Amino acid sequence: MATTANEDYIKTIYALESSGQRASTSRIAQRLDVTMASVTGKIKHLAAAGYVRHTPYYGVTLTPKGRKLALHTLRRHRLIELFLVKTLGLRWDEVHADAEVLEHAISDKVLERMYEYLGRPEFDPHGAPIPAEDGSIKELTGVRLSDLPSGARSRVLHVSDADGEFLRYLASIDFTIGTAFTLRDRAPYGGPLRIRIGRRELDIGPDAAERILVCPS
Amino acid sequence: MATTANEDYIKTIYALESSGQRASTSRIAQRLDVTMASVTGKIKHLAAAGYVRHTPYYGVTLTPKGRKLALHTLRRHRLIELFLVKTLGLRWDEVHADAEVLEHAISDKVLERMYEYLGRPEFDPHGAPIPAEDGSIKELTGVRLSDLPSGARSRVLHVSDADGEFLRYLASIDFTIGTAFTLRDRAPYGGPLRIRIGRRELDIGPDAAERILVCPS
DNA sequence: AACAAAAATTAGGCAAGCCAAATTTTTCTG
DNA sequence: CAGAAAAATTTGGCTTGCCTAATTTTTGTT
Ligand SMILES: [Mn+2]
Ligand SMILES: [Mn+2]
Ligand SMILES: [Mn+2]
Ligand SMILES: [Mn+2]
């Protein structure tokens, strides 16, 4: 019933909804790199199967059944990413593509073994919360690094797993999940943010800062 | 190019060939649990793609390209089975179904990490040789337990991974890969084989003995 | 050799997923 | 409020992978 394509569509709709965007045909098509015609067709199927409600010419919302499938797939994706990093030693910037495939192939039995093996983790390698078996998920209550007031002490909480290039950059400057730092100040007119990590000083561009979620402490 | 279905067909043809059987439409259909019509259709496609040569109304043989794909898929299957047993602690009787799916989903990168992580293993949990990256594979030079002469000292070498029930039985009597034993004698008229493992005595039926490959030493 | 049974193939059809092109609906803009 | 642009849908078509039913070829049996 839940094919690879179905799960990827549902995940995409969930991602749009939880970032406050309307799950429109065009946005789904863009994210999945398929045509709008394909999305319209799939939406009809997902609606008939009870995963989404469809308002023609407007968009789609997940039903409880759809939300459950989204979270189950996300749990798989994030546990797999963590497993690949922790157990097999892959880098955080190279696990997303593998997880995108394996999330549809791993049985519940193997998944729960991985979960136990990893010590019932709560976050994936990019700081995203791993949904629980019952479909509950922790909210990420962070703020954008770009919104942090000067002088604030904080920790890196989350970065999107989608852009490998950006993840490699962050790794290269050693600015990874959990890193504690102080925001010294920000240069004016879109200049870099000056950050202190222990004894180390670091400059981060404003575009990068917008993509980093931090936890003020 | 190499889809799940293609890989499973090629693996099945390889298994038939290497057990000395003709890869006929009916035998492939039986093993994959599809109709002969489906097999005929797929065979045409595999022949057109250069994986097999087809002699109509007779059967099919792997080309070097097909053999290479078969061994690559077998390598994945067997490494995955070993990984599931060794790393995640699944039992040897419950890994086959998972491996049958994951063999088509795991990237070469992850596979080679698993290979290193496991210490470059040579055999899977059922004693089957794991093909090397270059497509070479060790021959299993064992004999059937049922063919072993009375009094011979030997070790369990290999059992098929296909029958979970049988694997659970072997595990329950602690007669697993590598177990050293002596064949005391065999009861006449299809009676059991009496086996000694250290101090322990064991009876094994003749049907079971035919399915166990051992290595006389 | 003749006929029946078994094996294999062909023909036609269906579902999933995708696409391009045409059409309809909504939204934007002057 | 037009008219144009953008968004969404419909239509028709393609591939993969499977099926059933009909047909052809091979094999086995008397
Ligand atoms: Mn990811
Ligand atoms: Mn996916
Ligand atoms: Mn197996
Ligand atoms: Mn398989």
PDB file of all heavy atoms in Angstrom, chain A residues 182 184 194-203:
ATOM      1  N   THR A 182      29.340  32.008  21.512  1.00  0.00           N
ATOM      2  CA  THR A 182      28.794  33.320  21.844  1.00  0.00           C
ATOM      3  C   THR A 182      28.789  34.180  20.585  1.00  0.00           C
ATOM      4  O   THR A 182      29.765  34.186  19.834  1.00  0.00           O
ATOM      5  CB  THR A 182      29.667  34.022  22.904  1.00  0.00           C
ATOM      6  OG1 THR A 182      29.880  33.128  24.001  1.00  0.00           O
ATOM      7  CG2 THR A 182      29.003  35.285  23.388  1.00  0.00           C
ATOM      8  N   ARG A 184      29.388  37.443  19.186  1.00  0.00           N
ATOM      9  CA  ARG A 184      30.023  38.704  19.622  1.00  0.00           C
ATOM     10  C   ARG A 184      29.222  39.876  19.092  1.00  0.00           C
ATOM     11  O   ARG A 184      28.682  40.679  19.854  1.00  0.00           O
ATOM     12  CB  ARG A 184      31.471  38.793  19.107  1.00  0.00           C
ATOM     13  CG  ARG A 184      32.329  37.621  19.488  1.00  0.00           C
ATOM     14  CD  ARG A 184      32.353  37.466  21.015  1.00  0.00           C
ATOM     15  NE  ARG A 184      32.964  38.609  21.644  1.00  0.00           N
ATOM     16  CZ  ARG A 184      34.063  38.576  22.366  1.00  0.00           C
ATOM     17  NH1 ARG A 184      34.664  37.411  22.562  1.00  0.00           N
ATOM     18  NH2 ARG A 184      34.559  39.664  22.907  1.00  0.00           N
ATOM     19  N   ARG A 194      30.123  37.711  13.910  1.00  0.00           N
ATOM     20  CA  ARG A 194      31.368  37.279  14.549  1.00  0.00           C
ATOM     21  C   ARG A 194      31.033  36.413  15.752  1.00  0.00           C
ATOM     22  O   ARG A 194      30.272  36.833  16.622  1.00  0.00           O
ATOM     23  CB  ARG A 194      32.210  38.486  14.950  1.00  0.00           C
ATOM     24  CG  ARG A 194      33.085  38.962  13.795  1.00  0.00           C
ATOM     25  CD  ARG A 194      34.063  40.012  14.225  1.00  0.00           C
ATOM     26  NE  ARG A 194      33.414  41.312  14.361  1.00  0.00           N
ATOM     27  CZ  ARG A 194      33.396  42.248  13.383  1.00  0.00           C
ATOM     28  NH1 ARG A 194      34.024  42.028  12.247  1.00  0.00           N
ATOM     29  NH2 ARG A 194      32.803  43.400  13.577  1.00  0.00           N
ATOM     30  N   ILE A 195      31.579  35.234  15.724  1.00  0.00           N
ATOM     31  CA  ILE A 195      31.196  34.220  16.706  1.00  0.00           C
ATOM     32  C   ILE A 195      32.414  33.730  17.441  1.00  0.00           C
ATOM     33  O   ILE A 195      33.500  33.610  16.867  1.00  0.00           O
ATOM     34  CB  ILE A 195      30.479  33.055  15.967  1.00  0.00           C
ATOM     35  CG1 ILE A 195      29.020  33.457  15.740  1.00  0.00           C
ATOM     36  CG2 ILE A 195      30.575  31.765  16.733  1.00  0.00           C
ATOM     37  CD1 ILE A 195      28.291  32.555  14.832  1.00  0.00           C
ATOM     38  N   ARG A 196      32.254  33.467  18.731  1.00  0.00           N
ATOM     39  CA  ARG A 196      33.357  32.944  19.524  1.00  0.00           C
ATOM     40  C   ARG A 196      33.007  31.557  20.034  1.00  0.00           C
ATOM     41  O   ARG A 196      31.974  31.348  20.672  1.00  0.00           O
ATOM     42  CB  ARG A 196      33.638  33.882  20.704  1.00  0.00           C
ATOM     43  CG  ARG A 196      34.668  33.322  21.635  1.00  0.00           C
ATOM     44  CD  ARG A 196      35.116  34.366  22.656  1.00  0.00           C
ATOM     45  NE  ARG A 196      36.495  34.127  23.010  1.00  0.00           N
ATOM     46  CZ  ARG A 196      37.408  35.075  23.111  1.00  0.00           C
ATOM     47  NH1 ARG A 196      37.088  36.329  22.880  1.00  0.00           N
ATOM     48  NH2 ARG A 196      38.640  34.766  23.453  1.00  0.00           N
ATOM     49  N   ILE A 197      33.891  30.606  19.747  1.00  0.00           N
ATOM     50  CA  ILE A 197      33.719  29.233  20.236  1.00  0.00           C
ATOM     51  C   ILE A 197      34.931  28.921  21.088  1.00  0.00           C
ATOM     52  O   ILE A 197      36.018  28.704  20.553  1.00  0.00           O
ATOM     53  CB  ILE A 197      33.645  28.219  19.079  1.00  0.00           C
ATOM     54  CG1 ILE A 197      32.570  28.643  18.070  1.00  0.00           C
ATOM     55  CG2 ILE A 197      33.375  26.823  19.599  1.00  0.00           C
ATOM     56  CD1 ILE A 197      32.649  27.917  16.768  1.00  0.00           C
ATOM     57  N   GLY A 198      34.742  28.908  22.407  1.00  0.00           N
ATOM     58  CA  GLY A 198      35.906  28.758  23.290  1.00  0.00           C
ATOM     59  C   GLY A 198      36.884  29.892  23.011  1.00  0.00           C
ATOM     60  O   GLY A 198      36.525  31.068  23.135  1.00  0.00           O
ATOM     61  N   ARG A 199      38.065  29.535  22.545  1.00  0.00           N
ATOM     62  CA  ARG A 199      39.067  30.545  22.243  1.00  0.00           C
ATOM     63  C   ARG A 199      39.044  30.957  20.772  1.00  0.00           C
ATOM     64  O   ARG A 199      39.742  31.887  20.372  1.00  0.00           O
ATOM     65  CB  ARG A 199      40.467  29.991  22.572  1.00  0.00           C
ATOM     66  CG  ARG A 199      41.066  30.601  23.830  1.00  0.00           C
ATOM     67  CD  ARG A 199      41.979  29.657  24.560  1.00  0.00           C
ATOM     68  NE  ARG A 199      41.729  29.706  25.998  1.00  0.00           N
ATOM     69  CZ  ARG A 199      40.827  28.927  26.614  1.00  0.00           C
ATOM     70  NH1 ARG A 199      40.137  28.042  25.934  1.00  0.00           N
ATOM     71  NH2 ARG A 199      40.633  29.067  27.914  1.00  0.00           N
ATOM     72  N   ARG A 200      38.260  30.216  20.004  1.00  0.00           N
ATOM     73  CA  ARG A 200      38.295  30.383  18.548  1.00  0.00           C
ATOM     74  C   ARG A 200      37.309  31.470  18.115  1.00  0.00           C
ATOM     75  O   ARG A 200      36.200  31.561  18.651  1.00  0.00           O
ATOM     76  CB  ARG A 200      37.919  29.046  17.896  1.00  0.00           C
ATOM     77  CG  ARG A 200      38.186  28.925  16.428  1.00  0.00           C
ATOM     78  CD  ARG A 200      38.317  27.448  16.070  1.00  0.00           C
ATOM     79  NE  ARG A 200      37.099  26.711  16.381  1.00  0.00           N
ATOM     80  CZ  ARG A 200      36.105  26.482  15.492  1.00  0.00           C
ATOM     81  NH1 ARG A 200      36.223  26.922  14.259  1.00  0.00           N
ATOM     82  NH2 ARG A 200      35.041  25.794  15.842  1.00  0.00           N
ATOM     83  N   GLU A 201      37.721  32.273  17.118  1.00  0.00           N
ATOM     84  CA  GLU A 201      36.823  33.282  16.541  1.00  0.00           C
ATOM     85  C   GLU A 201      36.417  32.839  15.145  1.00  0.00           C
ATOM     86  O   GLU A 201      37.221  32.236  14.427  1.00  0.00           O
ATOM     87  CB  GLU A 201      37.537  34.642  16.447  1.00  0.00           C
ATOM     88  CG  GLU A 201      37.858  35.274  17.800  1.00  0.00           C
ATOM     89  CD  GLU A 201      36.715  36.159  18.324  1.00  0.00           C
ATOM     90  OE1 GLU A 201      35.764  36.405  17.555  1.00  0.00           O
ATOM     91  OE2 GLU A 201      36.781  36.587  19.487  1.00  0.00           O
ATOM     92  N   LEU A 202      35.179  33.160  14.752  1.00  0.00           N
ATOM     93  CA  LEU A 202      34.651  32.641  13.496  1.00  0.00           C
ATOM     94  C   LEU A 202      33.742  33.687  12.878  1.00  0.00           C
ATOM     95  O   LEU A 202      32.968  34.322  13.572  1.00  0.00           O
ATOM     96  CB  LEU A 202      33.845  31.377  13.820  1.00  0.00           C
ATOM     97  CG  LEU A 202      33.573  30.386  12.710  1.00  0.00           C
ATOM     98  CD1 LEU A 202      34.878  29.830  12.179  1.00  0.00           C
ATOM     99  CD2 LEU A 202      32.713  29.270  13.271  1.00  0.00           C
ATOM    100  N   ASP A 203      33.833  33.848  11.563  1.00  0.00           N
ATOM    101  CA  ASP A 203      32.892  34.734  10.858  1.00  0.00           C
ATOM    102  C   ASP A 203      31.910  33.900  10.049  1.00  0.00           C
ATOM    103  O   ASP A 203      32.319  32.999   9.325  1.00  0.00           O
ATOM    104  CB  ASP A 203      33.654  35.663   9.905  1.00  0.00           C
ATOM    105  CG  ASP A 203      34.279  36.831  10.653  1.00  0.00           C
ATOM    106  OD1 ASP A 203      34.166  36.853  11.892  1.00  0.00           O
ATOM    107  OD2 ASP A 203      34.885  37.679  10.001  1.00  0.00           O
TER     108      ASP A 203
END
